């Protein structure tokens, strides 16, 4: 069975060839490597041999490289005995998501704090990297399901989770050691990640209880876990901060599993921002369905206006901007995602304020230059705290003035 980049049709001239050889009989596992020469060029061939029953059982376990995300990786059966072919002729190898490792995440923040207090700089960096790898498995509770096909794709998906703490992407890259930073910056980033995750997963305390026990779940909801994280992030000689009640965050209501393909493009560490528009006004690169993209008429900077209204009352709530990728994320995640022209980055409504927008429907106007987004709005839509951004009435003259 052919796996890896060749099975995904993403191989380069330098890619290994990964092959699984499945054998009937007693439990068995071995791995051998070969350098095969063809046409004067050497290719690394990695062959993993194991018994077919344990191989099938392994498909029921999370992949250790996938940041806790579920896997759907293409494979290609090269040859099989007719008896086994129906069992192993799988065009896609699926593995489940990992459990949300909240207890491990908290414990690892403790290791960061312990290394900080001991002035162990290498210990801080090692623990912060472990913390960053655990973070997506916990955040997965608050996000739509994304299946990944490769380690590279898993990393990109983990960086791009739509429901995440403020500064999540930068902090994750810093903790992983993929961006330069001092030990102090690393400790601050690790603390922000964990403190920012807690309010986002608070609605999923029942899932935490199933994995880590009832007391940790109760601590998540009653504020003890927030206090403990605050205790870990403050040097031992400083007094604790005043006790605060945990902020409630409503749970997403979509609950729909979606598969978002993640391309094997390089990770630059930058925000996935729109590229400069082409001179002829054509669309920028995006995962949006080409049939939808072809109907859009964009501004010179590649955007369309999105008018947002409450789905059941028709109340107009706000106006924002989307490019092709923001529209793709809105349609596939069920969470309203926009492009910020001032910050030059994507933002998910409610990710930081808790005022979530759960998308019920999206319609395109006849000219293709505006979108109507029907949402279930939680809390205020306006950054001023008003339910709607349209709370300032202007005087209207003429015969129709005052008419309702």
């Amino acid at each position: 069975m052919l796996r890896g980049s060749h099975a995904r049709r993403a191989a380069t001239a330098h890619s290994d060839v990964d092959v699984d050889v499945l054998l009937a009989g007693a439990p068995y596992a071995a791995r051998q490597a070969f350098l095969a020469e063809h046409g004067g060029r050497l290719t690394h061939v990695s062959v993993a041999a194991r018994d077919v029953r344990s191989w099938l059982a392994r498909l029921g376990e999370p992949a250790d490289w996938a940041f806790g995300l579920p896997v759907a990786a293409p494979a290609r059966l090269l040859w099989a005995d007719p008896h086994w072919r129906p069992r192993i002729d799988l065009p896609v190898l699926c593995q489940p998501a990992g459990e949300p490792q909240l207890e491990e995440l908290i414990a690892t923040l403790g290791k960061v704090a312990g290394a900080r207090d001991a002035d162990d700089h290498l210990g801080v960096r090692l623990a912060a990297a472990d913390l960053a790898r655990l973070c997506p498995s916990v955040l997965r509770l608050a996000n739509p399901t994304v299946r990944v096909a490769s380690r590279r794709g898993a990393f990109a998906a983990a960086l791009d989770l739509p429901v995440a703490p403020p500064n999540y992407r930068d902090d994750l890259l810093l903790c992983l050691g993929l961006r330069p930073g001092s030990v102090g910056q690393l400790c601050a980033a690790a603390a922000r990640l964990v403190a920012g995750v807690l309010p986002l997963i608070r609605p999923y305390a029942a899932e935490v209880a199933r994995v880590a026990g009832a007391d940790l779940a109760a601590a998540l909801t009653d504020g003890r876990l927030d206090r403990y994280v605050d205790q870990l992030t403050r040097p031992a000689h400083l007094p604790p901060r005043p006790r605060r009640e945990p902020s409630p965050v409503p749970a997403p209501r979509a609950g729909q599993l979606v598969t978002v393909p993640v391309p094997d493009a390089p990770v630059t560490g930058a925000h996935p921002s729109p590229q400069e528009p082409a001179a002829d006004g054509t669309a920028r690169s995006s995962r949006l369905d080409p049939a939808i993209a072809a109907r859009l008429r964009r501004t010179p900077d590649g955007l369309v206006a999105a008018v947002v209204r409450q789905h059941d009352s028709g109340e107009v709530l706000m106006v924002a901007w989307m490019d092709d990728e923001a529209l793709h994320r809105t349609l596939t995640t069920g969470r309203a995602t926009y492009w910020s022209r001032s910050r030059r980055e994507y933002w998910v409504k409610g990710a930081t304020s808790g005022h979530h927008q759960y998308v019920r429907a999206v319609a395109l106007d006849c000219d293709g230059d505006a979108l109507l987004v029907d949402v279930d709005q939680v809390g205020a839509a306006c950054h001023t705290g008003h339910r709607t951004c349209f709370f300032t009435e202007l005087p209207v003259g003429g015969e129709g003035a005052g008419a309702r």
Side-chain angles (χ1 to χ4, degrees), residues 30-276:
R31 181 181 293 275
Q32 293 195 26
F34 303 88
L35 285 177
E37 187 168 2
H38 179 73
R41 185 173 181 82
L42 293 170
T43 299
H44 173 207
V45 181
S46 178
V47 179
R50 64 185 305 136
D51 67 285
V52 65
R53 289 181 176 84
S54 69
W55 182 85
L56 288 169
R58 192 179 180 188
L59 294 182
E61 302 170 356
D64 57 8
W65 47 263
F67 290 87
L69 304 175
V71 172
R76 178 183 172 193
L77 186 64
L78 303 178
W79 180 89
D81 182 278
H83 173 74
W84 284 103
R85 178 177 287 275
R87 298 276 306 275
I88 63 175
D89 193 3
L90 305 172
V92 176
L93 305 181
C94 294
Q95 291 179 264
E99 298 285 11
Q101 300 184 63
L102 178 59
E103 181 182 7
E104 292 81 356
L105 184 69
I106 299 299
T108 307
L109 181 61
K111 293 178 181 178
V112 172
R116 173 204 63 205
D117 290 351
D119 204 24
D120 178 4
H121 292 187
L122 181 58
V124 168
R125 295 186 184 277
L126 290 173
D130 289 340
L131 183 147
R133 283 188 284 268
L134 289 167
C135 207
S137 79
V138 181
L139 269 181
R140 186 181 58 80
L141 291 171
N143 280 275
T145 298
V146 178
R147 295 191 184 276
V148 297
S150 66
R151 184 179 183 183
R152 164 63 187 80
F155 180 42
L159 285 174
D160 202 23
L161 292 175
V163 181
N167 211 49
Y168 164 75
R169 183 184 179 94
D170 291 338
D171 286 342
L172 204 68
L173 289 167
L174 180 58
C175 286
L176 287 169
L178 299 177
R179 278 191 176 169
S182 67
V183 168
Q185 290 172 325
L186 212 61
C187 291
R192 279 195 300 269
L193 283 173
V194 179
V197 162
L198 296 184
L200 297 177
I201 66 166
R202 195 162 284 131
Y204 308 95
E207 182 76 6
V208 171
R210 183 184 65 79
V211 175
D215 190 69
L216 190 66
L220 176 63
T221 57
D222 66 21
R224 280 181 292 147
L225 204 50
D226 298 79
R227 289 162 50 207
Y228 183 59
V229 167
D230 181 64
Q231 175 181 303
L232 291 176
T233 57
R234 292 174 65 79
H237 65 278
L238 293 180
R241 293 189 180 97
R243 181 172 177 176
R244 294 178 300 173
E245 292 299 321
S247 58
V249 177
R253 304 173 190 177
Q256 183 179 4
L257 186 146
V258 297
T259 299
V260 180
V262 180
D264 285 302
V267 173
T268 63
H271 283 284
S273 58
Q275 307 153 9
E276 290 302 315

